[in-house]
Amino acid sequence: MNLHVRLSETRRRLHAVAETGFALDKTRNLISQLLVQEGLVPVERAGGIVTESGEGKNCILLRADMDALPVRDGKDVAYKSVHEDCCHACGHDAHMAMVYGSSLLMKEEELGGRVRYMFQPAEECPPGGALGMIESGVLDGVDMAFAMHVAPWLPFGAVGIKENIVMAAADNFKVTVRGRSGHGAMPHEAVDAVLVASHVVTGLQALASRMANPLEPLVVTVGKVRGGTAANVIADEVILEGTVRTLSTELQGKLPGWIERTAQGICDGFGAECETEYRPGYPVLKNWNSGLDVVTEAAGKVVGDKIVRMEKPLMGGEDFAYVLERVPGAFLFLGTGDEQYSYPLHHPCFDFNEEVLSVGAELLREITKVALGRL
């Protein structure tokens, strides 16, 4: 069986058993089975799987995220997720298949060093799964670390790289607005939590336009609203949940106070009560120059001149940032842009041309070889 067929089959099996967060029993079992078949020894650490190949003092880590999104799979395909409201809409099935594929390619090679494969849980769920695996010792003895993400906005097979800041810090918040219930026809006798919460949502949007320096990127998104029981009953409680994205540690530190003061001030004005919870997520993801040098050399050998130097960072968050805070390395993107597959990441119908899997596996192998050769 050639590499493309094998990795496509692997990816489809992983896609079909998509799971979220740390609840990855089927995914972990499948990854472990695949590794054991290749003579590798999978070890469970902090909800993830770690294995290693090769011999020598120096060690390169390759990371794949395992979790899916709480999104219903909208594709009419044979490998559709068997779990309702859960699918790999962000390409983590591809990441696992490509890291696994790189282990197949390097199985018989004399690398002059070791490769550690890190299959990580809960990348989509801040505070994420990377920190737990780091605390369990996954980076002990690691000299450099690399991770890759599929990118439908890049041409198929192109490698996207970015110097310094690649992705934003990502935090979450929750605002609970408490009013006083009443009859929908007698609003003067109640405190309408829906109305108050609506003003809070609007007020939070002003943080980016009026509180932050306009030259500093800031995104404040309220993505979830829960409240009310009936059309003719004034709600007594509404819960807002959202995310904050910044590229500055200093600005990131200001947001908890800004959100709390804004929400509290609006609630006070309407006679409502307010409770704010701010949950720090991931730090800013920054690439190392030494890591980018490795990726550039390796990509040149695998994809030739199909290297895209990205000028601007992305406002998405990624907990591989924790890894790059501790060891040199880089986070890169692999293009899946294709007219046949036009849906973006996190869309229920996101899919891609599976020929990219062998490209990604070969790229990870070459990155490992180049990195070990420089140590």
Side-chain angles (χ1 to χ4, degrees):
M1 186 182 295
N2 65 36
L3 184 65
H4 165 63
V5 173
R6 189 165 184 176
L7 295 189
S8 295
E9 179 184 277
T10 298
R11 177 258 167 164
R12 294 184 181 197
R13 292 176 67 189
L14 289 165
H15 189 94
V17 298
E19 298 165 296
T20 58
F22 287 94
L24 302 171
D25 290 346
K26 292 181 180 178
T27 304
R28 276 192 298 266
N29 289 340
L30 179 51
I31 289 292
S32 295
Q33 290 171 15
L34 292 168
L35 295 174
V36 168
Q37 289 172 8
E38 302 306 318
L40 297 172
V41 180
V43 177
E44 186 168 338
R45 286 192 182 179
I49 297 291
V50 180
T51 193
E52 193 172 290
S53 65
E55 296 180 352
K57 175 183 176 182
N58 298 120
C59 181
I60 305 301
L61 180 138
L62 302 178
R63 178 273 218 165
D65 32 16
M66 297 192 294
D67 59 322
L69 287 162
V71 174
R72 183 186 297 270
D73 198 339
K75 300 183 297 300
D76 184 17
V77 292
Y79 49 91
K80 184 174 183 176
S81 174
V82 298
H83 295 141
E84 188 174 349
D85 295 333
C86 178
C87 83
H88 277 295
C90 198
H92 295 189
D93 51 343
H95 305 164
M96 289 185 281
M98 290 188 289
V99 169
Y100 168 67
S102 72
S103 76
L104 299 178
L105 293 173
M106 290 186 279
K107 183 179 178 181
E108 304 298 334
E109 291 201 28
E110 293 291 336
L111 298 171
R114 294 173 290 126
V115 191
R116 188 170 299 165
Y117 306 96
M118 171 184 175
F119 294 89
Q120 180 211 306
E123 189 279 325
E124 298 284 1
C125 309
L131 272 180
M133 295 194 74
I134 291 170
E135 292 167 357
S136 77
V138 72
L139 296 182
D140 292 352
V142 169
D143 296 286
M144 299 190 80
F146 299 89
M148 183 163 60
H149 204 296
V150 292
W153 63 88
L154 291 175
F156 181 88
V159 175
I161 57 175
K162 171 74 174 64
E163 294 182 350
N164 195 18
I165 296 176
V166 183
M167 298 182 78
D171 299 336
N172 290 338
F173 64 89
K174 177 180 177 181
V175 178
T176 302
V177 176
R178 296 188 178 93
R180 187 172 65 251
S181 188
H183 196 294
M186 304 173 190
H188 59 291
E189 296 180 353
V191 177
D192 190 343
V194 169
L195 175 65
V196 180
S198 300
H199 281 270
V200 171
V201 172
T202 303
L204 294 178
Q205 301 312 304
L207 297 181
S209 65
R210 288 298 177 269
M211 295 294 289
N213 185 327
L215 299 179
E216 290 190 275
L218 170 63
V219 175
V220 180
T221 295
V222 177
K224 186 175 182 180
V225 180
R226 290 186 289 127
T229 57
N232 62 345
V233 176
I234 291 176
D236 62 352
E237 181 177 280
V238 172
I239 297 174
L240 309 173
E241 295 185 61
T243 186
V244 175
R245 308 298 172 100
T246 64
L247 299 179
S248 160
T249 302
E250 181 181 358
L251 179 57
Q252 183 184 18
K254 296 177 180 178
L255 266 299
W258 286 359
I259 290 175
E260 182 175 7
R261 287 197 302 272
T262 299
Q264 189 65 60
I266 292 171
C267 288
D268 287 345
F270 281 98
E273 296 180 354
C274 178
E275 181 180 333
T276 303
E277 179 183 347
Y278 194 92
R279 299 186 290 272
Y282 307 152
V284 172
L285 188 152
K286 297 182 181 181
N287 275 340
W288 293 62
N289 289 336
S290 58
L292 281 183
D293 289 344
V294 168
V295 171
T296 302
E297 180 180 340
K301 296 178 180 179
V302 177
V303 301
D305 61 356
K306 294 175 68 175
I307 298 176
V308 178
R309 296 189 177 275
M310 300 165 57
E311 296 182 0
K312 299 178 180 180
L314 303 177
M315 295 305 285
E318 167 61 67
D319 70 347
F320 193 69
Y322 289 121
V323 175
L324 293 182
E325 283 186 332
R326 291 160 173 80
V327 298
F331 188 89
L332 59 145
F333 298 93
L334 181 60
T336 61
D338 187 302
E339 290 184 0
Q340 183 180 350
Y341 302 98
S342 58
Y343 291 103
L345 296 176
H346 288 214
H347 191 284
C349 294
F350 172 73
D351 210 344
F352 54 88
N353 181 341
E354 290 172 327
E355 290 185 7
V356 80
L357 298 173
S358 54
V359 176
E362 291 170 5
L363 179 58
L364 290 172
R365 172 181 63 175
E366 199 61 41
I367 286 173
T368 302
K369 292 170 64 176
V370 171
L372 286 172
R374 293 188 175 205
L375 295 174

